[in-house]
Amino acid sequence: MTSDSESTNHSAVPVVRMRGITKRFGGVLALDNVDLDARAGEVLAIVGDNGAGKSTLIKILTGVYQPTSGSIELDGQRFEMSSHSDAIAAGIDAVYQNLAIADHLTPAENLFLGSELTRSVLGIKLLDNKRMKDTAVRTLKERLGVELKSMDVPTESLSGGQRQAVAIARAVRHENLRVLVMDEPTAALGPQETSRTLQLIKSLRDQGLTVIVISHSLDDVFEISDRIHVQRRGRCVGVVETQTTSNEDVLAMIVGSKTTAAA
Ligand SMILES: Nc1ncnc2c1ncn2[C@@H]1O[C@H](COP(=O)(O)OP(=O)(O)OP(=O)(O)O)[C@@H](O)[C@H]1O
Ligand SMILES: [Mg+2]
């Protein structure tokens, strides 16, 4: 041990280390021997053309799909999952493109869907609606900086950005959450809500979360990410530091006119 501990800790063991991930769907090779590292407290962007394997890669990380081959380590320990709930238990959760929120339920009901809080009255279990609502208000405000005018409305009546905040709050309400994955979080949002969502992602990173974001918008990627993992036709064609790379370089990697970063 010759190097000082600070620099060792920074780069030593990534929170997430995926190695040699291959995924076949029948005859389709969706992922071909992909490595991915995500470090503590960074925003890692994943970019690539349609069908490049981005969503498949993060669905493997979140336990939705099993890889055909390859391994995943968390903090340097081999980690095997057989379902999405294994990933949640290990502190990895995702907000998907088609938001998995129930439109007719209130924000608080969405936050606790499937894991409702209860209280006991004369030995009978009742839903603890007040505690769920208070927790939802607090999570939205303290973690995400979002205050809704009313909590007693169906989530479908909220704006796109607010609905997304509800979906994110559902993930971050788990205290052990360490890795948040977002698949095209700004795809359905207008400019103002996009900008708010990008701020929110940065603030989650500043709270210490590792955030992995898939995006087709290189402008968004350059605004929020620390590093960029580029996928092309199922392969990783490079990982670059955002600060020392240009938009054009990343675009060239995406379309295949360049296979490694200039840096
Ligand atoms: N469940 C599935 N069954 C069969 N093929 C699939 C399945 N999921 C993905 N694929 C195929 O795997 C490849 C990678 O798809 P994936 O959805 O990971 O791409 P992507 O990079 O997320 O694309 P996009 O930017 O369009 O969302 C594609 O050829 C896709 O058709
Ligand atoms: Mg996708």
Side-chain angles (χ1 to χ4, degrees):
M1 297 283 154
T2 50
S3 54
D4 69 278
S5 62
E6 215 173 299
S7 59
T8 310
N9 285 344
H10 175 69
S11 56
V13 181
V15 177
V16 173
R17 191 202 298 261
M18 302 175 82
R19 284 293 174 272
I21 300 289
T22 292
K23 178 67 179 176
R24 286 177 198 281
F25 293 104
V28 176
L29 184 59
L31 292 172
D32 183 5
N33 198 24
V34 173
D35 293 348
L36 176 144
D37 285 343
R39 302 172 184 161
E42 77 168 349
V43 176
L44 175 72
I46 302 179
V47 302
D49 216 338
N50 295 115
K54 305 177 298 295
S55 295
T56 304
L57 188 59
I58 62 105
K59 282 180 181 165
I60 288 172
L61 175 61
T62 54
V64 176
Y65 293 152
Q66 304 301 308
T68 306
S69 59
S71 64
I72 301 175
E73 288 177 13
L74 285 184
D75 297 321
Q77 304 283 324
R78 182 71 182 257
F79 178 58
E80 310 231 4
M81 281 175 279
S82 49
S83 70
H84 181 49
S85 38
D86 290 345
I88 293 177
I92 304 174
D93 204 350
V95 176
Y96 293 107
Q97 190 172 355
N98 47 349
L99 299 174
I101 51 178
D103 280 334
H104 59 289
L105 299 180
T106 66
E109 286 165 343
N110 265 295
L111 250 68
F112 289 95
L113 191 60
S115 55
E116 287 81 1
L117 301 181
T118 56
R119 64 197 167 97
S120 197
V121 177
L122 302 173
I124 300 168
K125 260 193 183 177
L126 299 174
L127 287 180
D128 194 343
N129 289 317
K130 181 171 187 315
R131 195 151 58 97
M132 288 193 275
K133 188 165 149 184
D134 291 348
T135 308
V137 168
R138 217 175 39 243
T139 304
L140 283 163
K141 182 152 192 278
E142 290 174 8
R143 300 291 305 274
L144 310 181
V146 171
E147 283 182 82
L148 302 179
K149 277 205 190 78
S150 168
M151 293 294 287
D152 300 313
V153 292
T155 305
E156 68 190 342
S157 71
L158 303 177
S159 72
Q162 290 171 331
R163 286 154 49 84
Q164 181 153 62
V166 170
I168 297 170
R170 188 170 155 186
V172 304
R173 113 187 140 69
H174 293 281
E175 279 175 10
N176 71 340
L177 183 77
R178 309 173 54 204
V179 179
L180 180 65
V181 177
M182 305 175 86
D183 197 345
E184 303 195 28
T186 58
L189 303 181
Q192 215 173 7
E193 299 209 308
T194 294
S195 151
R196 257 190 237 128
T197 299
L198 298 180
Q199 286 309 317
L200 201 156
I201 291 170
K202 287 195 253 187
S203 96
L204 292 172
R205 184 254 322 268
D206 295 343
Q207 292 169 37
L209 281 185
T210 297
V211 188
I212 301 178
V213 182
I214 294 176
S215 179
H216 281 287
S217 162
L218 288 186
D219 287 342
D220 291 1
V221 163
F222 272 83
E223 185 177 334
I224 56 168
S225 71
D226 298 291
R227 295 187 308 132
I228 306 171
H229 167 119
V230 186
Q231 281 286 127
R232 177 171 153 74
R233 296 187 177 169
R235 294 193 174 162
C236 174
V237 292
V239 182
V240 296
E241 300 277 341
T242 309
Q243 282 210 336
T244 56
T245 312
S246 70
N247 204 304
E248 291 73 28
D249 276 341
V250 173
L251 195 57
M253 292 166 78
I254 291 172
V255 299
S257 52
K258 201 179 208 176
T259 49
T260 49

